[in-house]
Amino acid sequence: MKLPVADGPTLRRHTGVLLRRHRRPLIGVVLLNALSASAGLVGPWLLGRLVDAVGHGADAAYVNRTVAILVVAVLAQTGMVRYAQRSALVLGETVFAELREEFVTTVTRLPLSTVERAGTGDLVARTTTDVDRVQHTVRFGVPRVLVTVVTIVLTVVAALATNVLVAAALFAGAPVLIVVCRWYLRRATPAYLAEGASYATISGAITESVEGARTVDALGLGSRRRARLNRDIGVAFQAEKRTLWLRSVLFPGIDLAFLLPLVAVLAWGAHLVSTGHATIGAVTTIAVYAVQIAQPIGELIFWLDETQVGATSLARIVGVADVSPDREQREARPDDEHVVARGVRYAYREGHDVLHGVDLDLRVGERLAVVGPSGAGKSTLGRMLAGVHPPTGGTVTVGGVPLVDLPLDELRGHVALVTQEHHVFVGTIAENLRLAAVNADEEDLERALRAVDAWDWVEAMPDGLDTVVGSGGAALTPAQAQQVALARLVLLDPHTLVLDEATSLLDPRAARHLERSLSAVLEGRTVVAIAHRLHTAHDADRVAVVDSGRIAEIGSHDELVGAGGEYAALWRSWQSD
Ligand code: ADP
């Protein structure tokens, strides 16, 4: 399952909105470019007049005057081109900056469940390859398209004004151009889409291999991963070959279309001169226009090609906004802190339930340990209880309201999930903490850090709370990073916490210290601890044994040991170790 790609109408609507938002600068760019292009048209026109004048016996003074005007026109054009192109580039930069900001906002709001299902590779490809391509198109392509279109239109108008009959020959290349371009454009979009998708697959495969490098090594999957990557590269190669073939028809076709008008103007023009319908000067002017117009047309077509690439990438970027939210906010507000799961089912892939109707009634303030074999569905259940994913069946409610009906920021004030993955964001420690509580003042931050026993080292940092951390800033140890994450929890102040093996990755010394920080956070809250080590289960008020997506047993440690079931067996085998 991939993330959605915007369709044609959506993309056009999006582009339309974007352009309308910049209508004034856009008009400015067009006007400035029209001025500079007009200055460029003066030269051939003067040349044509000169040819006719000399033919009628003009003197040297006339020639000098013409040359002087020509020099002025060239200088004026040089000056105007600078401003015209600058205005176009500024517009391109502005539009791109806006697009990028919109995209970041969309990406950070994506429902986690969708991203996990689609695989991170797809999203990574969109944020890297596709953004790069759109950047190229918008920053350089859009300005050049504006410039060339204005130049082409004005050149044609000037040619028609000079002599309509001769100017008609300018269109001799048009049929070839239209046929070739239509042939190309019709095939380009799917071809470039396929190319983009093949890159996404490659970067997905590489990301997975790198992230799971240890597993790949341990299981000796290296050659399989390489074979898979080779296959993906093969697909990308075929996709590249296809787009190359499209271009290898396009470009020669265009060259032919460029030469035809010049030949036609000269031949048809000569005929018109002989019948007295045109002057040699007019033919000269239009012949020079025919040469001059080739460059902007060529550039326009080049950018049309590039724009195809950019448009398909833009479709992939805009498409991300089409991900439907995985939850709907409702008005109902929980009336207590009681979390209950009823008949909860979940399938990562349709038809493959990993939870088969779990019922769980959390007592407010209790500590529940969840144990069971790996792959039994403990983490999945934890995610359901924390409202990370909407269940595919059944409900998880807090105070009678389904978790997934609550707005995300409110949900986090009720239930939070603590995992081994903790991230330090680039920014100050204070900013890292305020992610959980935007309005927290320095005292709140200090209190939170003290609660997790982290204030001492934060105070000792060069700028205290204002020390910049994350990549490029001060490096935090994994234990410190986890403490910052815990302090965020204190600020968030949820009444229920789901701990997914929160401290098991750390070295034992750090883990003991952290466990103290953690206990401080757990104080007075309902806690679901997904446990790998049975001694943590022993300390809990109740233990739930999860097996094959069901709760097999639930009760206090003593009850379960007394019952002589699965937990009793686990406990006996653990103790005899
Ligand atoms: P536990 O925490 O008990 O080890 P999990 O909840 O992680 O079990 O996994 C339960 C089942 O769901 C396993 O079969 C696992 O392969 C599958 N699973 C877990 N996460 C995903 C995922 N993101 N996509 C697809 N399947 C998953």
Side-chain angles (χ1 to χ4, degrees):
M1 206 192 78
K2 296 255 182 230
L3 295 169
V5 174
D7 58 7
T10 313
L11 197 60
R12 276 192 286 279
R13 200 166 348 103
H14 196 88
T15 316
V17 169
L18 209 62
L19 290 182
R20 265 196 299 283
R21 215 184 294 155
H22 298 278
R23 193 186 297 138
R24 283 168 133 234
L26 193 64
I27 293 174
V29 168
V30 172
L31 286 181
L32 267 175
N33 279 288
L35 270 180
S36 96
S38 309
L41 296 173
V42 172
W45 176 70
L46 284 176
L47 187 65
R49 276 177 46 125
L50 196 60
V51 167
D52 284 343
V54 171
H56 291 110
D59 57 0
Y62 181 85
V63 177
N64 286 343
R65 237 182 4 258
T66 307
V67 170
I69 301 173
L70 195 61
V71 169
V72 171
V74 168
L75 287 179
Q77 194 203 5
T78 311
M80 276 187 286
V81 159
R82 179 189 181 279
Y83 289 102
Q85 304 216 348
R86 183 177 177 284
S87 70
L89 282 172
V90 168
L91 178 66
E93 294 286 347
T94 318
V95 170
F96 178 65
E98 236 168 62
L99 264 179
R100 186 162 48 186
E101 276 169 23
E102 265 174 28
F103 183 53
V104 169
T105 312
T106 314
V107 167
T108 47
R109 280 188 194 152
L110 276 184
L112 203 54
S113 53
T114 313
V115 178
E116 286 192 348
R117 272 191 220 176
T120 41
D122 193 10
L123 193 58
V124 169
R126 292 186 197 213
T127 48
T128 52
T129 318
D130 289 317
V131 167
D132 279 351
R133 287 178 165 178
V134 169
Q135 148 164 326
H136 185 62
T137 310
V138 175
R139 290 175 64 192
F140 305 110
V142 171
R144 291 312 300 169
V145 167
L146 283 175
V147 173
T148 50
V149 166
V150 170
T151 312
I152 294 164
V153 169
L154 285 180
T155 309
V156 171
V157 169
L160 289 172
T162 309
N163 187 313
V164 177
L165 283 177
V166 181
L170 275 182
F171 298 96
V176 178
L177 205 58
I178 290 169
V179 168
V180 170
C181 287
R182 282 184 62 135
W183 176 87
Y184 174 80
L185 291 177
R186 206 169 296 150
R187 286 159 182 78
T189 310
Y192 285 117
L193 268 180
E195 204 185 276
S198 69
Y199 290 141
T201 315
I202 291 183
S203 63
I206 293 177
T207 318
E208 283 164 14
S209 295
V210 171
E211 279 178 359
R214 290 214 185 109
T215 317
V216 169
D217 255 0
L219 301 180
L221 297 175
S223 57
R224 255 205 258 170
R225 298 298 303 176
R226 269 198 301 281
R228 155 123 197 246
L229 192 59
N230 276 337
R231 220 167 37 240
D232 294 344
I233 291 175
V235 173
F237 179 70
Q238 289 306 327
E240 287 261 15
K241 243 171 74 175
R242 163 111 183 120
T243 57
L244 186 62
W245 148 247
L246 294 180
R247 286 192 294 271
S248 71
V249 171
L250 177 71
F251 291 132
I254 290 172
D255 279 346
L256 177 65
F258 282 169
L259 280 176
L260 283 177
L262 181 59
V263 175
V265 166
L266 290 177
W268 175 235
H271 169 71
L272 289 174
V273 170
S274 71
T275 57
H277 289 95
T279 63
I280 297 181
V283 177
T284 309
T285 300
I286 294 172
V288 178
Y289 284 155
V291 175
Q292 255 187 10
I293 206 173
Q295 189 272 333
I297 291 182
E299 198 181 339
L300 180 64
I301 289 167
F302 167 79
W303 280 115
L304 283 185
D305 177 38
E306 291 285 305
T307 310
Q308 287 289 313
V309 183
T312 51
S313 283
L314 188 63
R316 290 163 52 78
I317 288 177
V318 173
V320 174
D322 282 347
V323 171
S324 39
D326 64 352
R327 58 194 76 209
E328 250 179 77
Q329 280 172 222
R330 280 177 232 271
E331 287 303 312
R333 290 290 162 266
D335 36 54
D336 59 26
E337 302 184 343
H338 192 176
V339 177
V340 181
R342 287 270 168 267
V344 170
R345 300 177 164 275
Y346 191 72
Y348 289 96
R349 278 171 303 147
E350 218 158 294
H352 295 82
D353 277 7
V354 293
L355 295 177
H356 307 279
V358 174
D359 292 313
L360 181 62
D361 191 335
L362 286 179
R363 298 173 189 158
V364 174
E366 80 166 330
R367 192 156 305 185
L368 175 78
V370 179
V371 300
S374 157
K378 302 184 295 294
S379 298
T380 308
L381 177 60
R383 288 158 163 268
M384 298 296 121
L385 292 176
V388 173
H389 299 287
T392 24
T395 55
V396 181
T397 53
V398 57
V401 179
L403 290 182
V404 288
D405 286 358
L406 295 171
L408 270 182
D409 43 353
E410 200 186 322
L411 168 65
R412 294 287 158 255
H414 291 283
V415 194
L417 178 72
V418 186
T419 66
Q420 296 159 356
E421 295 162 37
H422 42 77
H423 192 78
V424 180
F425 296 89
V426 177
T428 65
I429 295 183
E431 282 164 351
N432 263 282
L433 293 174
R434 286 203 177 105
L435 288 174
V438 185
N439 298 320
D441 58 26
E442 298 229 337
E443 272 170 41
D444 297 330
L445 301 187
E446 181 182 333
R447 212 172 311 125
L449 287 167
R450 277 192 196 282
V452 298
D453 208 8
W455 177 245
D456 291 342
W457 64 259
V458 171
E459 209 182 8
M461 302 280 274
D463 298 311
L465 275 172
D466 295 324
T467 311
V468 175
V469 293
S471 71
L476 298 186
T477 66
Q480 287 174 333
Q482 189 119 22
Q483 280 181 325
V484 170
L486 289 174
R488 269 204 289 262
L489 273 183
V490 174
L491 288 168
L492 210 52
D493 196 26
H495 54 71
T496 302
L497 280 176
V498 179
L499 306 183
D500 195 349
E501 296 155 9
T503 58
S504 66
L505 266 193
L506 298 166
D507 71 85
R509 247 175 326 139
R512 259 199 301 285
H513 183 72
L514 259 180
E515 257 160 33
R516 273 206 306 280
S517 307
L518 188 60
S519 339
V521 178
L522 303 189
E523 196 58 44
R525 299 180 210 273
T526 312
V527 176
V528 177
I530 295 165
H532 258 203
R533 291 158 303 167
L534 282 184
H535 75 267
T536 44
H538 177 246
D539 299 337
D541 300 315
R542 285 199 300 169
V543 180
V545 181
V546 174
D547 196 7
S548 313
R550 290 193 174 80
I551 294 189
E553 294 179 292
I554 186 161
S556 72
H557 171 79
D558 294 336
E559 279 166 22
L560 291 187
V561 170
E566 207 168 317
Y567 181 74
L570 276 173
W571 179 252
R572 269 198 306 279
S573 78
W574 185 70
Q575 278 198 315
S576 60
D577 276 349

